[in-house]
Amino acid sequence: MSSTPREAALRAMPGETLDPQDWDEIRAQGHRMLDDMIDYIATIRERPVWRPIPDVVRAQFRADLPREPTDLDEVYRTFTDFIAPYTTGNVHPGFMGWVHGGGSPVGMLAEMLAAGLNANLGGRDHIPIEVERQIVEWTRQMFGFPDSASGIFVTGTSMANLMAVLVARISALGTSARRQGIGQDGTLLTAYTSRAAHGCITRAMDIAGFGSDALRCIAVDRAHRIDVAALRAQIARDRAAGRKPFLVVGSAGTVDVGAIDDLSALASLCREEALWFHVDGAFGALGVLSPVLAPKLAGIEQADSIALDFHKWGQVPYDAGFLLVRDGERHRDAFAAPAAYLRREARGLAAGSPWPCDLGPDLSRGFRALKTWFTLKTYGIAKLGAVISRCCALAGYLEARVKAEPRLELLAPVNLNIVCFRYRAADADRVNGEIVVNIQESGIAAPSTTVLDGALAIRAAIVNHRTDIGDIDALVEAVLEFGARRSAGRDRLSAIA
Ligand SMILES: Cc1ncc(COP(=O)(O)O)c(C=O)c1O
């Protein structure tokens, strides 16, 4: 058969594949990269936790749009010289800021495998989806949820909390709200959480269209747990004023101090009041894997939904947030949307409905489940639970060191893995802020700060499985050293004045 001129022209054109000409070359380069990254993790202690970024390094990433190709080896050199040394530092055992997981070599390898498969987990019938379903099933078992539960990987708990608010919204208003908007009824819907809850709950209420004023932030007790009596009273007041309470968000590990609300009491209250009970368990929920912590989480199994991050205490590399919903049908009601181009079939590649895209806003989704599956399978939940217990034991050790040191002051009870303390000084907020920045810049450790009852605290959250007693000691010594230097500097200045 003679070809058309257009076909002949196409046949004459060079191919445009992105695959290499020489597979051996990329194989060798890949092996070097893998070796380097294994070394990077194995020798992490030999480097600073974090280092300030020189202008010349930042300038590397202000380059023009690359029109022409660059040799992979050269691109990789930019990575080794200008990217790898300047990360947040959370792989390092001295990292104790915010709430960051440490990742693991196994998770890293799994992430490479996932990238090779390049699977899209929005839907369709393929085994990567079954791997995600396996994690849903394991998570369901961890929290004692019924068979009807559903779950989905998301970026992180901020997204999982937002999605929980959206599921609770449709549960309260019915699916017609998905076409008609929240309407007059929706403007009366009111949600509740504690003053210690993470700011993403407020943001979720805003994004969901209720406005952040529709979230009541209830007072906490001395242990930073929601005051359940005050919550009950606020619900009664709101009902009397014609508002429609619909959702309570409990915290399983508050971001500031790691407080766990009385989840059983919240579950009972929500049952009595017919409210959706969501638990923000960003890092604390996986405490169910630790025999020491599990009793503190009693009641979580009664939640309507739980948000959590495998990338925090689960040590899965970023990102691996997760939402678990007790009633899978309600979960689907909030998100499933038929489309001709997403038609489901009983057989073939379009089989296997429902698909993950029916459970959240994303259609294209990566294979977060693989690194989570590798992590859970390779280490086992007993080991991961032991890591969690040990992080709390190390927090207890830090608490004891702070209490034993007259120059230091504990600023909050240590509930879990977070210790908030400060160096005693006249101008304590400023001094402690400077201490934290100085420690970060020294590369010795990386705590962060928070404000508790108006006082700036040095905050150490122990999440990384590599952190050990020596890292805690190094933090304490650094706080004392920088605190003494700061005080001496100030004394000198006041003497001059
Ligand atoms: C209690 C709590 N909720 C929500 C979040 C937000 O999680 P993510 O950063 O995964 O979105 C965090 C983050 O540390 C948290 O500690």
Side-chain angles (χ1 to χ4, degrees):
M1 213 171 77
S2 67
S3 61
T4 63
R6 185 184 293 185
E7 189 184 325
L10 182 60
R11 286 184 189 285
M13 278 165 69
E16 292 291 2
T17 178
L18 302 181
D19 284 338
Q21 301 260 313
D22 181 349
W23 284 97
D24 286 341
E25 206 176 289
I26 198 162
R27 186 190 312 278
Q29 179 65 266
H31 287 175
R32 265 197 305 280
M33 289 174 171
L34 191 56
D35 278 344
D36 288 352
M37 283 317 287
I38 289 172
D39 285 345
Y40 174 88
I41 301 176
T43 60
I44 192 80
R45 278 185 178 281
E46 295 168 16
R47 293 186 296 281
V49 180
W50 178 83
R51 58 183 106 194
I53 305 166
D55 290 345
V56 60
V57 173
R58 245 183 248 282
Q60 292 292 319
F61 304 96
R62 307 276 192 272
D64 291 339
L65 186 63
R67 195 157 286 284
E68 298 306 324
T70 311
D71 195 58
L72 173 60
D73 195 43
E74 194 184 324
V75 177
Y76 179 55
R77 233 173 308 120
T78 306
F79 171 83
T80 57
D81 296 352
F82 299 114
I83 297 178
Y86 299 101
T87 56
T88 334
N90 52 306
V91 175
H92 197 289
F95 189 95
M96 300 173 203
W98 302 275
V99 187
H100 280 43
S104 79
V106 165
M108 178 189 86
L109 294 174
E111 193 71 320
M112 181 192 69
L113 302 180
L117 294 181
N118 193 21
N120 178 350
L121 275 82
R124 294 154 288 268
D125 195 22
H126 50 119
I127 284 297
I129 297 249
E130 293 298 342
V131 176
E132 180 154 344
R133 289 185 182 132
Q134 171 75 93
I135 305 292
V136 173
E137 172 59 17
W138 286 345
T139 311
R140 182 189 78 70
Q141 289 175 21
M142 281 178 209
F143 293 100
F145 269 34
D147 290 344
S148 55
S150 63
I152 185 164
F153 274 99
V154 292
T155 41
T157 290
S158 301
M159 177 54 92
N161 282 335
L162 168 61
M163 285 164 58
V165 169
L166 297 175
V167 177
R169 178 179 73 165
I170 295 307
S171 180
L173 294 174
T175 50
S176 60
R178 291 188 58 194
R179 294 187 308 279
Q180 296 161 1
I182 64 170
Q184 190 52 35
D185 265 5
T187 62
L188 296 173
L189 290 185
T190 309
Y192 303 82
T193 193
S194 89
R195 278 190 199 149
H198 195 274
C200 66
I201 312 287
T202 309
R203 225 154 25 110
M205 289 295 288
D206 151 15
I207 297 168
F210 298 116
S212 52
D213 286 352
L215 179 69
R216 307 281 193 244
C217 294
I218 306 297
V220 292
D221 64 17
R222 286 166 61 90
H224 294 241
R225 296 179 312 177
I226 192 166
D227 179 337
V228 180
L231 168 62
R232 191 184 289 277
Q234 184 64 51
I235 292 171
R237 272 198 300 280
D238 283 333
R239 285 204 199 281
R243 295 202 62 90
K244 297 192 169 171
F246 80 112
L247 163 70
V248 172
V249 180
S251 296
T254 57
V255 62
D256 273 337
V257 305
I260 301 174
D261 287 338
D262 183 342
L263 301 177
S264 294
L266 291 182
S268 305
L269 177 62
C270 288
R271 235 185 345 265
E272 283 165 34
E273 299 276 352
L275 306 177
W276 187 276
F277 177 33
H278 173 68
V279 174
D280 175 354
F283 63 99
L286 285 182
V288 294
L289 302 181
S290 150
V292 185
L293 291 192
K296 297 188 182 193
L297 292 158
I300 198 168
E301 73 288 348
Q302 298 175 56
D304 290 301
S305 51
I306 303 171
L308 64 109
D309 284 326
F310 284 104
H311 58 229
K312 291 190 165 85
W313 250 348
Q315 311 296 336
V316 173
Y318 281 81
D319 50 32
F322 197 85
L323 174 66
L324 185 68
V325 180
R326 170 176 299 277
D327 182 339
E329 206 167 316
R330 293 200 188 187
H331 190 176
R332 286 187 291 280
D333 280 349
F335 295 107
Y341 46 84
L342 294 175
R343 205 176 112 91
R344 315 298 158 88
E345 304 290 351
R347 292 167 34 232
L349 191 46
S353 189
W355 292 350
C357 65
D358 301 326
L359 302 173
D362 293 320
L363 178 52
S364 291
R365 308 173 59 249
F367 197 0
R368 297 181 178 108
L370 190 67
K371 58 194 172 185
T372 311
W373 182 81
F374 262 90
T375 302
L376 293 175
K377 282 284 271 191
T378 308
Y379 298 111
I381 58 165
K383 173 78 175 166
L384 294 171
V387 166
I388 290 170
S389 303
R390 188 163 167 79
C391 287
C392 295
L394 287 167
Y397 173 74
L398 175 54
E399 176 188 23
R401 283 222 51 186
V402 169
K403 282 182 170 166
E405 171 52 65
R407 287 170 288 173
L408 300 178
E409 181 185 7
L410 193 69
L411 290 186
V414 178
N415 302 289
L416 221 52
N417 60 330
I418 301 178
V419 185
C420 290
F421 65 105
R422 68 176 174 177
Y423 187 83
R424 291 183 199 271
D427 190 5
D429 284 359
R430 193 192 309 221
V431 169
N432 282 279
E434 285 180 17
I435 289 173
V436 167
V437 173
N438 286 335
I439 294 177
Q440 290 170 353
E441 290 187 346
S442 75
I444 297 169
S448 57
T449 61
T450 191
V451 177
L452 297 173
D453 295 328
L456 187 126
I458 300 174
R459 179 177 164 286
I462 298 144
V463 188
N464 189 321
H465 56 98
R466 302 182 181 97
T467 304
D468 214 338
I469 288 184
D471 302 297
I472 306 289
D473 288 338
L475 171 70
V476 172
E477 298 317 321
V479 170
L480 294 175
E481 170 68 23
F482 282 110
R485 274 198 225 169
R486 176 59 178 73
S487 301
R490 208 191 34 170
D491 289 350
R492 248 197 335 271
L493 283 179
S494 48
I496 293 163

